[in-house]
């Protein structure tokens, strides 16, 4: 196995060739906030929270979707990056209708977590109060679009792990929303296997089990990675 | 801002050095839960009472007019009506350090949900009033109208910092008593609290 | 080109491209053809007086030679359309804004049957346009050399004008490497806006490991005020197909796509016709021009998304997926359509290839300026006297284009600024109009070359409003994938509203600048990264208009 060595925030780190910068950052014992990234799913580089600086480059790199290469000098926590990350998180809060107080995911929400991580004590951007709906047509789960941050983890887990491709994104810009099937009520989509993987990986309270009420959601984002590894390493085949 | 400037006159004896802080708490559009949490400070309330003068508060003072020269003010709630707005503007003029106290002051939170009821050419105040007082009325349906007595709703519910400059944000719905204490205690000794980490910053 | 050398047999060329069509070219063309077929008899006798009508019937009885009325592509001065060129022994005359009723009078003049001299013909005299004016004289048509001359719906016309000669020559005489050598030497850079060296891109695709390759033409021209590519597609589609075929040969592709926006129905129609004709002539399809080289090209029609002009979004769209960009690398030249190396160039880039092969890369590189070789097509619009299409050598000054050629402000006032690069570009103030038009100079002013749209802004227009206009465009066209573009542009638009409505605060100005920097630095693709440019460039050159918009509270 060939290895690349690079430097992250002054720490030297060696990772297998083909690793992402995010893996290298974590291998160095450091972290950057992430929302759309999830182990087991193909990266999309959409939330922009894991952007890092690369010495010698003007452009910021999404750590989740960039390959680590030999000799890179990476900085993950400059004042500039901190400023951008906080603004990104504020934009997430301001574009949806996020009310932690009565949210099913209060306490286990990754958006809440990154808000803490970037030191967001308030949003400088006015909340937009978009008109969004709730789809409770599925017998076991619900989708509250008000809490969706369009990370597309649900889209990817359903496509890449479950193989059902129930979810996709419709519309564009600030009108974007997750749709089931051919923009049908979720409960009417025959392709849905009711496996619950989308609910497991949803970072916020947008997808949740119907029996859960305020602060009762128990997400399992680790399952996508477990399934992917089990499949690739054929762990359950004798 | 520099909190050291709050102290009006430095005293000579270090033990008695600090003049008593003039503290206010204000309740705008909120459920009063933040004030309930404030009362959960339990025995720390005694320490607080030793260290500060509570010059205005819905839970600890009878004063009806917001006084001059307040050092610190905790403001619970969003700005939803003309009274809220007037009080916010007044307290800003008369207070050195204004704290957005809880999620409603910081983000409009639950009171702000009425903003979802706005439509083009129709503000959310009208929508909710008509819904509440006309559409759902059993008898004698009429919109409340008593200028000077019943404050008029603003077209949109706003977080405090969209109305006045805010110096410190204390999130939570409500902020726990521990978090309130951790935020207030440094102020008593002229320091600014470190608002970092989940224990101090998590919303909800 | 518009003005042609004198010719013995007179003919009329009528622009039938979109711009002139919208000004009434179709009924005019029909009337001209009817008049030509009728020997000049005015169908309803409106054009000339009684005496003229007598002369016409006399002429008609003499059975004049058939008069060719050719439907052609863009004749450049779009704002005066519909345009008709009359070629004859005395050279070319150009007419603008003719009504169908004037067709007979023009045909009479062409045939020498009119009773009045042209200068006294009331139906025509006020419509004649000066071909000696700088707008025409300073043009250097290379990409557009056939546009306005050939009938875009007849491949015979294109062949007679030299189209596909370079493709045949290249296939028989040059190796792919030798073709790329010429393109490298030409110094040609991508005309879609990015300015990436074309030869380098071709090499990158060609030198990938063996396997399938694709060639893609980006004809998703979407910048407001940009209509250069449309003019090539509508006016001389075979030149584009020839350029694409040469590129495919040079990089080893046997399949390609032309991605055209749905808002260009005439371009799509003519492109499909051109593809069909080229296949019939053996210039596309298997064993082209009797060689082993094969190439299939298909038209793919967009669905109305500006972001599909971004190359990775465009590729997704061709593959039948949602048109959203992805992170690069890998670049399409490494992994594009269905994972295969894919060459993507803009219409104008491909259309410049035949002339480079014909004249040689060095010849082409001698035109233009250091770092920006050759010519560039610009579409001029906005507060300008001469609205239309110009092809000029790179390095020419903005002032020459806007004031000398474009004629400046139509009301005689001073030009305030020039917007280049559409929603990704910026506004260049009048006092910097002596800037040469090249990639680096425009970038250094906070704007960009872009695809070639130049919108001239008059004194009456407030710059925060210009910025808001473009931001609204970016809000509408954001694909929604990444948060800075999806949500950041919305917040920028709301901030700009406050400046336009004169209720901004100093804090708003600070927030505006901070958010512009964030959206620029952190957006995923070029659309988001460039979305703040109209704000940043107007802040840079017209800051006083923003500070003047601060309300009394600040």
């Amino acid at each position: 196995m060939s290895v690349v060595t690079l430097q992250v925030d002054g720490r030297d780190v060696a990772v297998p060739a083909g690793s992402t910068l995010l893996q290298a950052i974590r291998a160095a014992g450091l972290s950057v906030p992430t929302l759309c990234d999830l182990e087991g799913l193909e990266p999309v580089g959409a939330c922009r929270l894991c952007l890092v600086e690369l010495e010698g480059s003007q452009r910021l790199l999404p750590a989740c979707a960039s390959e680590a290469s030999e000799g890179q000098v990476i900085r993950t926590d400059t004042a500039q990056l901190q400023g951008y990350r906080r603004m990104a998180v504020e934009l997430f809060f301001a574009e949806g209708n996020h009310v932690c107080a009565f949210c099913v995911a209060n306490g286990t929400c990754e958006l809440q977590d990154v808000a803490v991580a970037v030191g967001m004590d308030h949003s400088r951007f006015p909340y937009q109060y978009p008109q969004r709906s709730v789809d409770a047509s599925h017998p076991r789960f619900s989708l509250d679009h008000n809490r969706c941050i369009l990370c597309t983890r649900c889209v990817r887990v359903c496509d890449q792990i479950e193989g059902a491709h129930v979810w996709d994104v419709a519309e564009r810009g600030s009108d974007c929303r997750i749709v089931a099937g051919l923009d049908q009520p979720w409960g009417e989509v025959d392709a849905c296997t009711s496996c619950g993987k989308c609910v497991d990986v949803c970072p916020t309270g947008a997808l949740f089990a119907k029996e859960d009420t305020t602060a009762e959601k128990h997400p399992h984002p680790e399952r996508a990675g477990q399934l992917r590894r089990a499949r690739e390493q054929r762990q359950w085949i004798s | 801002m520099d909190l050291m400037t709050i102290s009006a006159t430095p005293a000579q004896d270090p033990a008695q050095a600090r003049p008593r802080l003039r503290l206010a708490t204000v309740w705008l559009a909120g459920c009063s839960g933040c004030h309930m949490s404030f009362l959960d400070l339990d025995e720390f309330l005694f320490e607080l009472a030793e260290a500060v003068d509570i010059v205005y508060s819905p839970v600890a003072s009878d004063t009806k007019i917001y006084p001059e020269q307040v050092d610190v003010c905790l403001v619970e709630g969003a700005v939803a009506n003309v009274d809220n707005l007037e009080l916010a503007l007044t307290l800003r003029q008369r207070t050195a350090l204004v704290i957005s106290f809880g999620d409603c002051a910081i983000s409009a939170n639950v009171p702000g949900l009425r903003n979802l009821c706005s439509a083009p050419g129709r503000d959310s105040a009208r929508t909710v009033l008509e819904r509440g007082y006309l559409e759902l009325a059993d008898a004698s349906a009429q919109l409340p109208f008593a200028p000077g007595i019943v404050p008029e709703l603003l077209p949109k519910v706003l977080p405090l910092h969209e109305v006045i400059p805010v110096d410190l944000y204390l999130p939570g719905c409500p902020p726990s008593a521990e978090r309130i204490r951790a935020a207030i205690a440094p102020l008593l000794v002229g320091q600014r609290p470190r608002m970092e980490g989940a224990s101090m910053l998590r919303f909800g | 080109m518009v003005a042609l050398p004198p010719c013995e047999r007179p003919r009329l060329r009528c622009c039938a491209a979109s711009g002139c069509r919208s000004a009434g070219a179709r009924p005019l063309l029909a009337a001209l053809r009817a008049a030509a077929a009728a020997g000049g008899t005015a169908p309803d006798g409106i054009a000339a007086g009684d005496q003229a009508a007598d002369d016409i019937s006399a002429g008609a009885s003499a059975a004049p030679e058939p008069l060719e009325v050719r439907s052609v592509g863009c004749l450049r001065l779009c704002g005066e359309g519909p345009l008709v060129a009359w070629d004859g022994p005395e050279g070319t005359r150009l007419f603008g804004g003719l009504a169908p009723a004037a067709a007979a009078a023009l045909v009479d003049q062409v045939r020498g049957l009119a009773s009045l001299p042209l200068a006294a013909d009331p139906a025509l005299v006020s419509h004649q346009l000066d071909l000696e004016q700088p707008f025409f004289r300073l043009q250097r048509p290379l990409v557009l050399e056939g546009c306005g001359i050939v009938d875009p719906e007849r491949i015979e016309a294109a062949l007679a004008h030299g189209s596909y000669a370079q493709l045949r020559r290249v296939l028989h005489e040059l190796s792919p490497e030798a073709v790329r050598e010429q393109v490298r030497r030409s110094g040609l850079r991508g005309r879609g806006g990015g300015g990436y060296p074309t030869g380098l891109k071709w090499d990158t695709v060609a030198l990938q490991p063996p396997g399938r390759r694709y060639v893609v033409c980006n004809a998703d021209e979407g910048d407001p005020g940009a209509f250069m590519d449309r003019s090539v597609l509508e006016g001389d589609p075979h030149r584009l197909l020839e350029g694409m075929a040469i590129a495919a040969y040079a990089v080893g592709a046997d399949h390609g796509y032309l991605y055209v926006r749905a808002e260009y129905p005439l371009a799509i129609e003519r492109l499909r016709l051109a593809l069909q004709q080229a296949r019939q002539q053996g210039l596309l399809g298997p064993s082209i021009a009797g060689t082993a080289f094969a190439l299939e090209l298909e038209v793919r029609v967009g669905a109305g998304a500006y972001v599909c002009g971004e190359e990775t979004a465009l590729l997704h769209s061709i593959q039948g997926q949602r048109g959203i960009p992805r992170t690069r690398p890998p670049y399409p030249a490494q992994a594009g359509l269905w994972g295969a190396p894919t060459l993507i160039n803009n219409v104008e880039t491909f259309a410049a290839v035949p002339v480079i092969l014909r004249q040689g890369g060095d010849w082409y590189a001698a035109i233009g300026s250091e770092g920006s070789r050759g010519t560039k097509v610009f579409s001029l619009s906005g507060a300008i006297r001469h609205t239309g299409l110009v092809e000029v050598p790179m390095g020419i000054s903005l002032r020459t284009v806007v004031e000398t050629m474009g004629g400046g402000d139509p009301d005689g006032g001073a030009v305030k600024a020039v917007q280049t690069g559409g929603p990704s570009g910026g506004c260049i103030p009048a006092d910097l109009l002596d800037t040469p038009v090249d990639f680096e100079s425009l970038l250094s002013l906070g704007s960009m070359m872009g695809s070639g749209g130049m919108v001239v802004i008059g004194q009456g227009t407030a710059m925060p409003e210009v910025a808001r206009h473009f931001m609204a465009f970016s809000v509408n066209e954001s694909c929604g994938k990444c948060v800075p573009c999806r949500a950041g542009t919305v917040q920028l638009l709301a901030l700009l509203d406050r400046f336009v409505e004169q209720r901004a605060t100093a804090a708003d100005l600070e927030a505006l600048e901070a958010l512009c920097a964030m959206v620029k630095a952190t957006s995923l693709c070029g659309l988001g990264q460039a979305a703040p440019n109209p704000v940043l460039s107007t802040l840079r050159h017209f800051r006083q208009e923003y500070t003047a918009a601060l309300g009394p509270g600040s």
Side-chain angles (χ1 to χ4, degrees), chain A residues 44-48 51 59-60 62 65 84 87-88 91-92 94-95 125-126 128 149-150 168-174 176, chain C residues 304-306 322 327-328 331 475-484 486-488 490-491 514-515 517-518 521-524:
Chain A
V44 286
C47 76
R48 316 310 280 168
L51 288 175
R59 285 178 45 211
L60 305 176
Y84 291 159
M87 274 195 254
L91 288 173
F92 274 121
E95 72 166 346
F125 304 120
Q128 300 294 300
I149 57 166
L150 293 164
D168 216 318
V169 182
E171 309 292 342
R172 63 188 186 193
S174 52
C176 276
Chain C
Y306 177 73
R322 185 174 160 82
T327 304
R328 299 174 304 182
Y331 290 90
V475 166
N476 284 330
E477 296 296 344
S478 167
C479 79
K481 180 173 177 177
C482 74
V483 74
R486 179 180 73 230
V490 170
Q491 296 286 353
L515 187 53
M518 182 267 187
T522 65
S523 289
L524 191 155

Side-chain angles (χ1 to χ4, degrees), chain C residues 366-444:
Chain C
I367 303 164
S369 62
E370 181 75 35
S372 297
R373 306 296 185 178
T375 59
K376 175 82 193 81
V377 184
F378 292 100
S379 51
L380 296 179
S381 64
I384 192 163
R385 195 182 302 272
H386 305 310
T387 297
L389 205 63
V390 298
E391 183 173 2
V392 289
M394 293 261 213
I396 193 170
S397 77
L398 266 175
R399 188 179 305 285
T400 307
V401 175
V402 170
E403 292 187 346
T404 312
M405 299 179 75
D409 187 288
D411 302 323
V415 166
K416 181 173 180 180
V418 181
Q419 211 281 345
T420 69
S424 305
C427 292
I428 295 165
D431 57 357
L432 293 174
L433 278 183
D434 291 316
T435 305
V437 179
D438 61 56
F439 290 102
E440 275 69 31
S441 299
L442 294 182
L443 266 183
S444 74

